[in-house]
Amino acid sequence: MAKNIQAIRGMNDCLPKQTPAWQFVEKHLRQTIASYGYQEIRTPIVESTDLFKRSIGEVTDIVEKEMYTFDDRNGDSLTLRPEGTACAVRAGIQHGLLYNQQQRLWYMGPMFRHERPQKGRYRQFHQFGAEVYGLAGPDIDVEMIMIGARLWKAFGIADKVTLQINSLGSSEARAAYKEVLVEYLKARYEQLDEDSQRRLSSNPLRVLDSKNPQVQAAIADAPKLIDHLDEDSKAHFSIICERLDALGIQYEVNSNLVRGLDYYNRTVFEWVTDLLGAQGTICAGGRYDGLVSQLGGSETPSVGFAMGIERLVLLIEAINPEVSEQPGADIYVTALGDKAQASVMSICEKLRTALPAHKIQMHCGGGNFKKQMKRADASGASIAILLGDDEIDSGMLSVKYLREAREQESMSIEALGSMLAV
Ligand code: ATP
Ligand code: MG
């Protein structure tokens, strides 16, 4: 017998039992971001490989080893997008959305990275993100954080996530700091692992990001970037801290937070939880004032964040399991006998018009009363409507309550509509 074909490793199906939690999350994301006046942008899943090489940076994990890159039939090098920021910038420049304008944008969709699959880390995963262009001040950085804080409340996870922030300063300040850091790290070269030794020459800031305890010990007393900031970045950062204090949003300044992508400057932040093991970052973002011009646009201050929806769903399900317990139907309509079978479809249509917010499932495939009631129960519906000759003749519905001890009732479609509308 032929071998069954399986999904690609690290690329998950989202089954009917899981989609309610996803829909819950997606609904709140859409509603919340709209309430801040952001507009949605949708870009293709495939882009020119160069876009990501030029934006994310050649010596980053993503570009070095995680991209799904292939030649198409014309021999052009294409890449499945590993993240959304570069795509938004590309589209913004191409369509003239950024020049001399302010834009508050959001996106949601699948991203692709060839990583080792594990809990909270997949090869196809989904991000929700926001990107703002044309605003240079710290107020919009604070708004990025406020959006997260509001979402965690809506999801009931506010006390499970903490905010870490840092400033990477200007590129000049960072370049000067890099020299100090490299000197410090060179003196401890033997304590670094292979990855960090390599990064020492290619991308020394990333050494600060290492998860290896031995490396962490070696950098414990490393000079801190936050002590080497330029005056403007320092002022920008201290306003953010003041505003967060005033809003009552708690944060921790983590001087080792550098983020894995090259394009960030000044503000960077991550929302982290300790309930998901090593994959604890559910949202990450920061300022990237240089990226638009780096990709051919004019100088445009920019800031954004991206959150991993799988991690968000895992966290919400762990804390609030009822979000995923959603029956497929609210009302199950049975039909016994020829007359009822001939009318059941039009009655269901009338019910859907009267009760647009309800899920109304029509029994198909005939069978006796017992069989139909078994299906009604399995559907998860709380009400079964029983149609037989009597109901068709009288124009009334027999309403049976499946989940409560309550007498069966006879009523019109209108009466059922007003009963369930409240
Ligand atoms: P990590 O340190 O976990 O690898 P990252 O710094 O690579 O994260 P970003 O590029 O900042 O992640 O992406 C933003 C968010 O997207 C992450 O905080 C995480 O929630 C989610 N994310 C990133 N990669 C994956 C993945 N492979 N599977 C699931 N979610 C992911
Ligand atoms: Mg990563």
Side-chain angles (χ1 to χ4, degrees), residues 219-234:
I219 59 173
D221 296 319
K224 292 188 178 351
L225 177 50
I226 200 108
D227 299 326
H228 289 77
L229 294 185
D230 50 297
E231 289 307 314
D232 287 350
S233 296
K234 221 186 270 179

Side-chain angles (χ1 to χ4, degrees), residues 137-266:
D139 41 7
I140 190 67
D141 301 16
V142 175
E143 182 169 289
M144 298 276 97
I145 291 169
M146 287 158 60
I147 293 170
R150 177 174 285 272
L151 282 168
W152 314 144
K153 279 192 203 143
F155 293 141
I157 57 171
D159 57 345
K160 309 293 187 231
V161 289
T162 54
L163 172 64
Q164 302 200 337
I165 58 174
N166 192 21
S167 176
L168 302 180
S170 64
S171 57
E172 297 78 29
R174 219 159 43 247
Y177 168 72
K178 263 185 203 166
E179 285 184 24
V180 183
L181 179 67
V182 167
E183 201 173 314
Y184 173 92
L185 293 174
K186 273 191 177 150
R188 288 155 187 82
Y189 191 78
E190 297 308 322
Q191 289 160 261
L192 303 181
D193 58 11
E194 215 175 293
D195 242 6
S196 296
Q197 287 176 346
R198 201 165 45 84
R199 283 175 178 158
L200 187 55
S201 50
S202 62
N203 197 348
L205 249 55
R206 289 299 312 282
V207 177
L208 298 176
D209 209 19
S210 172
K211 305 280 186 288
N212 182 334
Q214 187 197 324
V215 177
Q216 279 176 348
I219 59 173
D221 296 319
K224 292 188 178 351
L225 177 50
I226 200 108
D227 299 326
H228 289 77
L229 294 185
D230 50 297
E231 289 307 314
D232 287 350
S233 296
K234 221 186 270 179
H236 188 103
F237 190 64
S238 72
I239 293 179
I240 292 175
C241 295
E242 273 171 40
R243 299 287 183 271
L244 293 177
D245 288 336
L247 286 163
I249 297 177
Q250 290 181 359
Y251 58 89
E252 185 193 323
V253 177
N254 174 357
S255 55
N256 289 339
L257 186 68
V258 294
R259 308 285 304 114
L261 303 88
D262 270 359
Y263 50 59
Y264 288 109
N265 67 302
R266 288 200 174 162

Side-chain angles (χ1 to χ4, degrees), residues 9 113-119 121-123 279:
R9 189 165 127 82
R113 297 184 194 176
H114 196 276
E115 303 195 71
R116 193 168 69 78
Q118 54 198 292
K119 183 180 173 190
R121 190 178 294 290
Y122 312 101
R123 291 181 173 173
Q279 277 59 252

